[in-house]
């Protein structure tokens, strides 16, 4: 999986305070209509990326993190970043 530049039209997600919380929603928070539109945009993202999103894999990783079983492999991350940089540099030479 390559790391791509974020889309310029990406809309930041806003977290609302939980109901019953003492804090009020921040000024400028998205309305429920905005939240529905953002939700639709977020759900459309995997199709735009060629379906790279694997919900079962995300759930498994989330459970491993909760259980303390998830381990980060920094060498694998570094190798992936280096491969992405090499690809970007090579594509720049071909332009």
């Amino acid at each position: 999986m390559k790391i791509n530049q974020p889309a310029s039209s990406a809309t930041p997600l806003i977290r609302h305070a939980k109901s019953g919380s003492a804090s009020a929603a921040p000024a400028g928070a998205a309305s429920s209509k905005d939240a529905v539109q953002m939700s639709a945009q977020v759900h459309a993202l995997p199709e735009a990326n060629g379906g790279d999103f694997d919900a079962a894999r995300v759930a498994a990783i989330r459970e491993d993190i909760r259980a303390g079983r998830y381990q980060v492999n920094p060498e694998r991350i570094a190798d992936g970043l280096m491969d992405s940089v090499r690809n970007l540099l090579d594509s720049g030479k071909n332009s």
Side-chain angles (χ1 to χ4, degrees):
M1 181 174 164
K2 293 182 183 176
I3 300 173
N4 296 322
Q5 295 280 339
S8 60
S9 63
T11 304
L13 298 177
I14 300 170
R15 292 183 182 235
H16 297 284
K18 293 181 181 179
S19 62
S21 173
S23 63
S31 69
S32 61
K33 180 181 177 184
D34 292 337
V36 169
Q37 289 175 334
M38 283 188 272
S39 177
Q41 290 171 347
V42 170
H43 288 293
L45 288 176
E47 290 80 19
N49 291 329
D52 287 344
F53 178 76
D54 183 350
R57 176 78 175 129
V58 171
I61 292 171
R62 183 175 289 142
E63 181 56 34
D64 286 346
I65 291 169
R66 281 191 196 121
R69 295 184 302 255
Y70 186 78
Q71 294 183 2
V72 176
N73 183 341
E75 291 84 15
R76 183 174 175 197
I77 294 170
D79 290 343
L81 288 172
M82 292 302 291
D83 288 342
S84 293
V85 169
R86 285 186 193 103
N87 287 339
L88 288 171
L89 291 173
D90 288 343
S91 68
K93 290 179 184 178
N94 297 330
S95 296

